[in-house]
Amino acid sequence: MFYLYAIGVLTLAWSCHAEPFNTFDGPGHPACNNVAKVYNATSVEQMQSIVRDAAKSDTPVRASGKGHMWYDTMCSDDPTTIIIRTEDVNKISDLNLPEGASEGSVMIEAGVTFLQLAEYLHENGASVGYTLVNWNITLAGSIAMGAHRSSLREDSMVAAGALELHIIDGTGNITVVKRDNNNDDWLAASTSLGLLGVIARIKFKVYPDFKVYAQQKILTEDEVLNGDIYEMIQPYATANFWWWPFLKKFHHRYYDKIDINNSTQEGFQSTFSVTKTEADLALGILNPGKYLATSNQLAETTFFALWSAPNFHEKTTDKAILTWPVYGWNYDVLIGGLYPGYGTEWDFGLRGLTLELAFPVTQANAVLKRVRKAFDDSAAAGKPMTSTYRSGINIKFGKAYFDLLGQVTTNTSDGADWSQGAIMFDFPSFQPTIGDKLRYNEPFYHNLAQALITEFPCRPHWTKNTREVFTLAKDKIDATHLARFKKAREKFDPNGIFKSIVGQILGLYD
Ligand SMILES: Cc1cc2nc3c(=O)[nH]c(=O)nc-3n(C[C@H](O)[C@H](O)[C@H](O)COP(=O)(O)OP(=O)(O)OC[C@H]3O[C@@H](n4cnc5c(N)ncnc54)[C@H](O)[C@@H]3O)c2cc1C
C-alpha cells in the first residue's frame, strides 16, 4: 500500500515537472522541449475528458501517435502543455466491403498504425490501396501533417483516403467532418497540423486486397536531370528516385499492381532493419565523415551497392530475395516492416536529420539541376557533398490534391502550375554522434534550403523541417488559404489550446 502511495506521489511530482517529449529518436531529440504531463489515453472518451479538463484551465494540448517526426515543432514552447498519446486508442471496426464491390470503408481510432490496419484488412481481403506511408506511424498523425506516399498517378496523400474525420474540438466535443471540397471545415481538417483538435476516429476508404511488384533500375544523373521526369514517374502506381550525388547515379524504384495469381512470392520490404554489428560498422564510417569527405564518399558507395539489391525478404521463409522484380501483397511490398530478430536503425544509434520541400513537378528538372549546382559549387570550394543517409536522397512525387495546407494543393496565389503534381526533395542526412554533432559542411544544408525556398515556388513538409525552414517558407504558403484555415481553426478551437510552433510561425494565432 505504502509502495503504491509512494509511486502515486512520485508520478504527481514527475507530472508537475516540465520535461522534453521526444521523437522516435529518443532522448536528445525533442518533439516538444517542455511538457507538463503525458497521458497514455486508452479510449476516445478519456481523450475527450482530458481535453475538457484542459480547456477549463486553458492548458495547451497536443496529440501524439508514434512520435515519428524529426524536430521540436510538435507543441508550442509553453511548459504547461500536456500530451495525449493515442497509441492505446486503437480499435478498428465497421469494415464494409461487400463481395464484388470496388471500394468500401472501415472505421479506425487515433492510434491505429498503417501496419495494424494493413494486417487487419489483409486478413479480411481488403487494403487501403496506395495511401500506405510507413509501418510505424498512425494514420491520424499522418493525416494531421499531410503525409503522403510517392505517386503522380494515384491519390497518395493519406488524407485522400479519409471519408470522415471525427475531431475532438477545443471544448472536448466531437465534430464529425465529412469529405466535401465545398466546405472549409473539411479543407482545413484534411491537413490540420493538429490545430483543430485531436483526430479521434477516421472513416477510411478501403479496396479489395491486391498484389504488387517492385522494380528498381539504375539511371545516370544525366538521364534524370535532362530527362522527362514526369514520364519516368507518372505511369506507375507509386514511384520515386534515390539520388547518389557523389556517384552521379539514381535508383529508380517503381511499383504497380499485378494479377493476384501471377506469383506465389511474398516479398516483404524493410527499410530500417539492421543488426547491431551492421549499425556499428555504419557508425564507424559515418562518424569520421563529420570531418572527412572521403569517409562520406565511402559510405555513399557502400550504401549504393547495398541498395542496388532488393531490400526484401521472402515473408514465409525470411530468406533474402536477391533479384528484381519482387512480388508480394501490397502492404508487405509497399511498407513492410522489420525483419524478425533485427532492430531499427535508431535502436542502434543511427539517427538522421532531414529537410523536405515540395515544388511543382513542372519545375522538377530545374530544381534538381539547382541542387546539382550547389553540390558542384561546394566541391569546387573543397567541400564535396554526398548522401550520408542509408538509401540516398529521396526524391518523391505527389499527385495534386486540393485542401488548404497540403503540400500538393493547387490553385494558389503563387501562380505556379501545381496541377500536374509536385516533386518532393527529401534530403535526409546522418547526424554524427561525436563532437558538436554538426554534420560535415553544416552550412551547406542551411544554404541549400534557403536557395531552394527563395528561388522556387515551394512548400515544406510539416514534420520534416526545422523552425528555421518554416520561417523561411511561410511566405510561400497562399495567404488566402492561411486566412481560410485560421477561420476554421477559430471555429474548432477558439481559445487556441491545440497550438503549435508551426501554427505560430504560419500566423494562425493572433
Ligand atoms: C523514418 C520516417 C519515415 C517517414 N516517411 C514518410 C513518408 O514517406 N511520407 C511522409 O509524408 N511522411 C513520412 N514521415 C513523416 C510522418 O508521416 C509524419 O511525421 C507523421 O505525422 C508521423 O505520425 P505519428 O503517428 O508518428 O505522429 P507524431 O509524430 O506523434 O505526431 C506528428 C504530428 O501530428 C500531430 N498528431 C499526431 N496524432 C494526432 C491526432 N490524432 N490528432 C491530431 N494531431 C495529431 C502531433 O501533434 C504532431 O504535431 C516519415 C517519418 C519517419 C520518422
Side-chain angles (χ1 to χ4, degrees):
M1 193 63 196
F2 172 76
Y3 173 72
L4 286 178
Y5 172 76
I7 290 195
V9 171
L10 277 177
T11 308
L12 192 67
W14 171 78
S15 69
C16 297
H17 171 74
E19 55 178 50
F21 178 69
N22 296 318
T23 70
F24 72 116
D25 271 329
H29 303 268
C32 311
N33 290 308
N34 270 313
V35 301
K37 180 157 179 165
V38 179
Y39 289 89
N40 287 312
T42 53
S43 69
V44 169
E45 294 70 27
Q46 192 192 358
M47 297 200 294
Q48 286 184 262
S49 112
I50 296 167
V51 171
R52 276 194 194 110
D53 287 346
K56 277 184 211 144
S57 53
D58 219 10
T59 299
V61 184
R62 289 296 295 183
S64 176
K66 300 292 277 185
H68 233 58
M69 59 180 294
W70 278 268
Y71 298 107
D72 61 344
T73 57
M74 184 186 285
C75 303
S76 67
D77 285 333
D78 186 332
T80 66
T81 301
I82 59 166
I83 301 285
I84 301 178
R85 286 189 67 238
T86 61
E87 203 169 337
D88 296 331
V89 185
N90 60 18
K91 288 201 197 76
I92 303 176
S93 61
D94 300 339
L95 174 60
N96 178 16
L97 183 66
E99 187 74 37
S102 60
E103 54 184 69
S105 64
V106 66
M107 187 67 87
I108 60 171
E109 290 184 341
V112 171
T113 62
F114 285 100
L115 186 58
Q116 185 193 346
L117 180 60
E119 280 179 342
Y120 171 88
L121 292 178
H122 178 65
E123 280 161 21
N124 290 283
S127 83
V128 288
Y130 298 107
T131 51
L132 291 161
V133 168
N134 211 316
W135 53 282
N136 204 21
I137 302 179
T138 66
L139 279 91
S142 301
I143 291 173
M145 306 314 281
H148 50 80
R149 229 195 130 70
S150 182
S151 180
L152 287 174
R153 194 186 84 189
E154 306 286 334
D155 273 332
S156 60
M157 286 276 290
V158 184
L163 299 167
E164 291 175 10
L165 293 166
H166 300 206
I167 298 177
I168 303 175
D169 63 24
T171 64
N173 292 330
I174 291 191
T175 303
V176 176
V177 195
K178 296 190 181 191
R179 172 172 293 281
D180 174 3
N181 272 12
N182 295 313
N183 178 357
D184 273 14
D185 286 357
W186 169 260
L187 295 173
S190 167
T191 303
S192 68
L193 313 186
L195 302 179
L196 305 189
V198 179
I199 301 171
R201 292 192 187 94
I202 306 163
K203 186 173 178 187
F204 207 78
K205 214 191 276 185
V206 299
Y207 308 89
D209 208 1
F210 60 99
K211 280 187 145 182
V212 298
Y213 70 83
Q215 176 63 284
Q216 184 173 283
K217 297 272 163 62
I218 295 170
L219 301 176
T220 63
E221 210 175 75
D222 178 56
E223 283 174 289
V224 177
L225 266 53
N226 294 310
D228 188 340
I229 292 177
Y230 187 85
E231 274 310 310
M232 292 178 208
I233 301 296
Q234 198 279 339
Y236 305 105
T238 168
N240 68 293
F241 293 123
W242 281 297
W243 191 357
W244 305 91
F246 166 64
L247 297 170
K248 298 200 170 176
K249 290 204 164 92
F250 280 82
H251 280 136
H252 181 204
R253 174 74 67 92
Y254 48 94
Y255 309 79
D256 219 329
K257 197 167 179 171
I258 50 155
D259 189 305
I260 216 142
N261 302 312
N262 246 18
S263 166
T264 54
Q265 190 177 57
E266 289 193 32
F268 177 82
Q269 169 157 217
S270 187
T271 45
F272 302 108
S273 293
V274 279
T275 61
K276 170 102 175 61
T277 312
E278 287 165 348
D280 287 345
L281 282 170
L283 282 168
I285 308 176
L286 288 166
N287 265 331
K290 174 175 171 49
Y291 307 106
L292 293 171
T294 47
S295 210
N296 293 331
Q297 291 163 354
L298 173 63
E300 189 183 299
T301 308
T302 310
F303 292 156
F304 176 80
L306 288 171
W307 285 83
S308 293
N311 55 321
F312 287 83
H313 282 187
E314 165 62 44
K315 198 173 185 182
T316 52
T317 60
D318 194 32
K319 290 233 167 69
I321 294 174
L322 303 174
T323 52
W324 298 104
V326 174
Y327 303 95
W329 291 103
N330 59 79
Y331 73 112
D332 282 338
V333 174
L334 297 176
I335 55 171
L338 275 189
Y339 299 142
Y342 281 68
T344 59
E345 296 180 356
W346 49 96
D347 286 337
F348 299 125
L350 281 168
R351 297 197 167 85
L353 296 171
T354 194
L355 160 84
E356 185 186 312
L357 300 169
F359 309 91
V361 72
T362 49
Q363 302 194 31
N365 296 81
V367 170
L368 296 186
K369 283 181 184 173
R370 178 65 185 85
V371 179
R372 169 40 70 198
K373 179 178 180 322
F375 287 137
D376 290 345
D377 290 349
S378 192
K383 297 255 179 202
M385 299 302 292
T386 57
S387 166
T388 60
Y389 199 61
R390 58 181 161 79
S391 51
I393 300 171
N394 200 353
I395 312 291
K396 294 180 291 192
F397 297 84
K399 183 178 162 181
Y401 169 88
F402 185 68
D403 63 10
L404 295 176
L405 296 185
Q407 264 191 308
V408 291
T409 198
T410 50
N411 278 333
T412 42
S413 58
D414 56 11
D417 179 10
W418 294 87
S419 65
Q420 292 187 54
I423 179 172
M424 284 94 165
F425 177 74
D426 177 0
F427 191 3
S429 47
F430 170 73
Q431 185 179 28
T433 59
I434 54 173
D436 59 11
K437 298 191 177 160
L438 296 178
R439 294 162 287 188
Y440 175 79
N441 196 9
E442 180 71 34
F444 175 86
Y445 296 92
H446 304 267
N447 294 339
L448 179 63
Q450 175 145 28
L452 292 175
I453 294 168
T454 316
E455 294 172 26
F456 294 94
C458 117
R459 296 163 187 162
H461 186 288
W462 296 119
T463 62
K464 295 192 172 189
N465 291 298
T466 56
R467 297 174 181 211
E468 174 197 8
V469 168
F470 291 132
T471 306
L472 283 168
K474 71 172 194 296
D475 292 339
K476 296 284 173 148
I477 312 293
D478 187 310
T480 320
H481 282 208
L482 287 171
R484 285 165 67 184
F485 184 92
K486 185 166 177 243
K487 223 165 151 195
R489 188 201 68 63
E490 284 165 353
K491 199 163 128 194
F492 279 77
D493 181 28
N495 295 326
I497 62 170
F498 298 111
K499 68 188 169 192
S500 73
I501 280 295
V502 182
Q504 287 171 343
I505 292 173
L506 293 177
L508 297 170
Y509 296 88
D510 290 327

